[in-house]
Amino acid sequence: MNAQPAAVAVPEPPLAVLLELTHRCPLACPYCSNPLQLVGLRQELDTAQWQRVLEQAAELGVLQAHFSGGEPTLRKDLADLLRHARAHGLYCNLITSGVGVTRERLQELQRAGLDHLQLSLQDSRADGADRIAGYAGAHARKLALARWCGELELPLTLNAVIHRHNAERVGEMIELAVELGAGRLEVAHTQYYGWGLRNRAALLPTRAQFDAASAAVAAARERLRGRLTIDYVTPDYYARRPKPCMGGWGRRFVNITPEGKVLPCHAAETIDGLQFDSVLERGLGEIWRDSDAFNRYRGTAWMPDPCRGCEHRERDWGGCRCQALALSGRADTLDPVCEKSPDHAGLRALAERESQAPAPEFVYRRPGR
């Protein structure tokens, strides 16, 4: 007999808020997970509006503010926003490509209240990294920024996105993280949303590449224990069980887009039929607690069989709704990553087929496309 689904309770405050200050970015990465339709400069929230968001986040009980994009350092008011966040007791993390950030700007941001920096890493080698970024010289600029973090004693995390064109160099990327003095490295296989989904056939690693990368991570974790923390995000298309996307829909995380829409995850706008409230019209706390979009897939009551009777239902929270939509055509069905899904076998066959075929050319994310 299936267990009864739990009712949606008043949610705990989110741990973190991701502030997408802008969709503007100097890079053209083919795995970009931002929406296909980007928000323009004129639609971005202004300084005062973002400051109100930070105030409301602190009132709600949020602990961490993650400043992201696009490229958040393109915002001239970033230091002002950091100061405002710190004044309201928020831990401040910057997620950046590192391109265009000078040592002087980094010092300014640190003085304003920056606690931690996350730097994207496209490859261990300049030619591969610059090819993925679509930006000549990007890799050298990233390495310089990472070294400045060490000089300024600013905690650093490197985020390495893995795909078929760099999977063999996971070991080199781990060694580079050690050399640069990073405290944490996230080795994350590409997640196929937005532009990444468009380039899936060019990016999917083979099963052999995935296995080799996983072995490299496991060996490095043992060897570097206590020296470098390594997080590992596996490619969903080879998994047997779904991951708890964002810790579960509407449970621990809130995403705010450049124009102020409040989302349970960065890809949620792909789901038709959901209305996402704006911080320009409702308070952040009210949206978090009461909006239909957050409550639609929060908890377990929404789940179909066999999810609602599954022993893992409060571990993976049904997996990813956006991925279920992209691969099965419905957001309210099983995530095809789950081996119990009727679409699971087809997903595995797709992964094997696309990863074994010759990789097509990248479709870069350029302005105006």
Side-chain angles (χ1 to χ4, degrees):
M1 182 175 179
N2 288 344
Q4 292 299 310
V8 176
V10 175
E12 295 181 6
L15 171 66
V17 58
L18 180 70
L19 309 173
E20 294 183 342
L21 301 182
T22 181
H23 278 157
R24 292 172 285 144
C25 185
L27 305 187
C29 302
Y31 54 68
C32 180
S33 59
N34 277 337
L36 296 179
Q37 185 64 44
L38 299 181
V39 174
L41 172 62
R42 294 182 179 180
Q43 285 74 49
E44 294 175 9
L45 297 184
D46 63 26
T47 305
Q49 290 165 337
W50 277 121
Q51 288 175 335
R52 284 197 294 274
V53 168
L54 290 165
E55 293 165 11
Q56 292 176 12
E59 292 171 0
L60 179 57
V62 170
L63 301 178
Q64 302 172 359
H66 300 273
F67 295 85
S68 182
E71 176 46 59
T73 61
L74 292 176
R75 291 278 304 216
K76 295 180 181 180
D77 59 356
L78 180 56
D80 293 330
L81 296 178
L82 287 168
R83 275 188 286 270
H84 202 75
R86 283 299 298 273
H88 287 80
L90 295 170
Y91 178 89
C92 297
N93 176 46
L94 176 65
I95 304 171
T96 178
S97 70
V99 175
V101 181
T102 64
R103 194 180 194 279
E104 292 71 26
R105 181 81 188 285
L106 183 61
Q107 287 180 294
E108 177 196 19
L109 298 177
Q110 188 178 29
R111 287 193 298 267
L114 181 62
D115 293 295
H116 180 272
L117 186 141
Q118 284 181 239
L119 177 64
S120 63
L121 188 69
Q122 277 74 24
D123 204 326
S124 58
R125 303 177 185 179
D127 56 348
D130 292 353
R131 177 179 173 240
I132 288 291
Y135 189 109
H139 188 64
R141 292 173 181 241
K142 291 170 182 287
L143 298 187
L145 179 60
R147 294 188 175 105
W148 294 333
C149 286
E151 293 169 6
L152 298 173
E153 298 183 346
L154 180 64
L156 172 68
T157 291
L158 294 178
N159 299 109
V161 180
I162 307 304
H163 42 79
R164 74 157 78 183
H165 301 276
N166 65 6
E168 286 86 357
R169 292 187 290 282
V170 165
E172 290 183 14
M173 284 184 265
I174 293 171
E175 293 307 313
L176 181 58
V178 174
E179 176 191 332
L180 294 172
R184 182 180 294 271
L185 170 67
E186 182 184 75
V187 179
H189 284 266
T190 301
Q191 305 298 295
Y192 297 103
Y193 308 103
W195 217 258
L197 183 59
R198 179 170 290 190
N199 281 285
R200 185 180 64 194
L203 295 168
L204 263 173
T206 65
R207 180 69 199 217
Q209 286 181 309
F210 163 53
D211 290 340
S214 300
V217 168
R221 276 176 165 170
E222 185 64 28
R223 177 170 53 85
L224 299 171
R225 190 182 304 276
R227 187 177 177 189
L228 176 68
T229 299
I230 304 176
D231 297 325
Y232 188 49
V233 180
T234 59
D236 285 345
Y237 289 24
Y238 290 118
R240 293 176 55 199
R241 297 213 52 79
K243 63 180 181 294
C245 187
M246 312 311 298
W249 182 280
R251 295 193 69 249
R252 304 299 289 156
F253 173 86
V254 61
N255 186 100
I256 303 178
T257 68
E259 81 274 43
K261 290 184 182 179
V262 184
L263 312 178
C265 77
H266 63 276
E269 286 184 281
T270 62
I271 301 177
D272 292 334
L274 291 183
Q275 286 291 118
F276 298 102
D277 293 305
S278 170
V279 293
L280 299 178
E281 299 168 353
R282 298 180 74 183
L284 183 59
E286 182 184 0
I287 295 171
W288 173 255
R289 290 185 296 268
D290 302 330
S291 73
D292 175 65
F294 274 83
N295 284 319
R296 183 75 63 90
Y297 302 115
R298 180 180 268 155
T300 61
W302 66 271
M303 292 181 178
D305 287 325
C307 291
R308 68 175 59 200
C310 180
E311 62 181 345
H312 300 288
R313 66 187 180 278
E314 292 188 359
R315 298 176 196 167
D316 58 37
W317 300 99
C320 179
R321 299 300 88 222
C322 303
Q323 187 159 260
L325 175 66
L327 297 174
S328 299
R330 290 179 56 184
D332 60 353
T333 191
L334 281 69
D335 186 335
V337 169
C338 180
E339 61 186 353
K340 296 181 180 181
S341 168
D343 299 305
H344 182 73
L347 175 62
R348 296 296 291 272
L350 180 152
E352 294 291 342
R353 182 174 65 253
E354 288 197 357
S355 66
Q356 295 289 345
E361 294 295 318
F362 294 141
V363 180
Y364 287 103
R365 170 154 238 170
R366 303 288 186 189
R369 291 190 181 180

